[in-house]
């Protein structure tokens, strides 16, 4: 299917597909513990659902913003080895943006969790 497309379009589509797949894979991996973490912070299911959806959107938008910016040079397109390294750089930038987004998302959540449990607002009674 992609064989008929010019190499510039193939490379750009690979970057976009990876930009969509990587955040969804990361969210799929963190979803079970994320649900437990959000339920430990918030008492309302609607708020947990909001934060869960917000995390998915932020991860998708951060990865797509890095993927959309990828533009290979014309010299890179002529050499297959340079093209592979250029794609690797694109993947690295996408993963860096995802890491920064995860840090930006979870710092306020961790601060909220710490404050709630340090104050004893959500601590469980000891048996």
């Amino acid at each position: 299917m992609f064989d008929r497309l010019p190499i510039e379009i193939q490379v750009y589509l690979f970057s976009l597909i990876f930009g969509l797949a990587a955040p969804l894979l990361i969210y799929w991996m963190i979803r079970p513990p994320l649900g437990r973490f959000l339920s430990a912070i918030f008492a309302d299911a609607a708020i947990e659902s909001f934060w869960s959806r917000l995390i998915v959107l932020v991860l998708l938008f951060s990865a797509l913003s890095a993927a959309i910016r990828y533009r290979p040079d014309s010299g890179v397109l002529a050499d297959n080895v340079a093209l592979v390294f250029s794609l690797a750089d694109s993947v690295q930038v996408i993963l860096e943006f995802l890491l920064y987004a995860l840090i930006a998302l979870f710092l306020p959540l961790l601060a909220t969790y710490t404050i709630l449990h340090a104050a004893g607002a959500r601590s469980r009674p000891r048996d």
Side-chain angles (χ1 to χ4, degrees):
M1 179 172 109
F2 293 120
D3 297 339
R4 296 183 200 119
L5 296 174
I7 191 73
E8 299 91 0
I9 304 294
Q10 290 179 13
V11 170
Y12 190 69
L13 283 177
F14 173 80
S15 181
L16 285 178
I17 290 170
F18 185 79
L20 282 173
L24 293 175
L25 178 67
I26 289 174
Y27 179 74
W28 178 73
M29 290 189 309
I30 66 170
R31 196 173 128 206
L34 176 66
R36 290 189 297 271
F37 179 63
L38 290 176
S39 66
I41 297 173
F42 305 111
D44 191 11
I47 296 172
E48 293 172 26
S49 175
F50 165 78
W51 271 96
S52 181
R53 291 177 182 165
L54 179 72
I55 289 170
V56 170
L57 283 176
V58 169
L59 290 178
L60 276 172
F61 288 151
S62 68
L64 279 177
S65 71
I68 288 173
R69 270 194 274 177
Y70 176 66
R71 300 277 190 269
D73 297 331
S74 59
V76 169
L77 295 173
D79 186 15
N80 288 337
V81 175
L83 185 62
V84 168
F85 282 107
S86 177
L87 279 173
D89 288 341
S90 171
V91 168
Q92 178 185 0
V93 169
I94 291 170
L95 292 176
E96 283 177 2
F97 272 56
L98 282 173
L99 178 65
Y100 298 147
L102 283 170
I103 291 170
L105 283 169
F106 283 107
L107 279 179
L109 290 174
L110 285 171
T112 304
Y113 180 81
T114 304
I115 290 169
L116 286 175
H117 285 277
R122 302 258 185 208
S123 61
R124 295 182 180 141
R126 296 185 181 167
D127 296 328

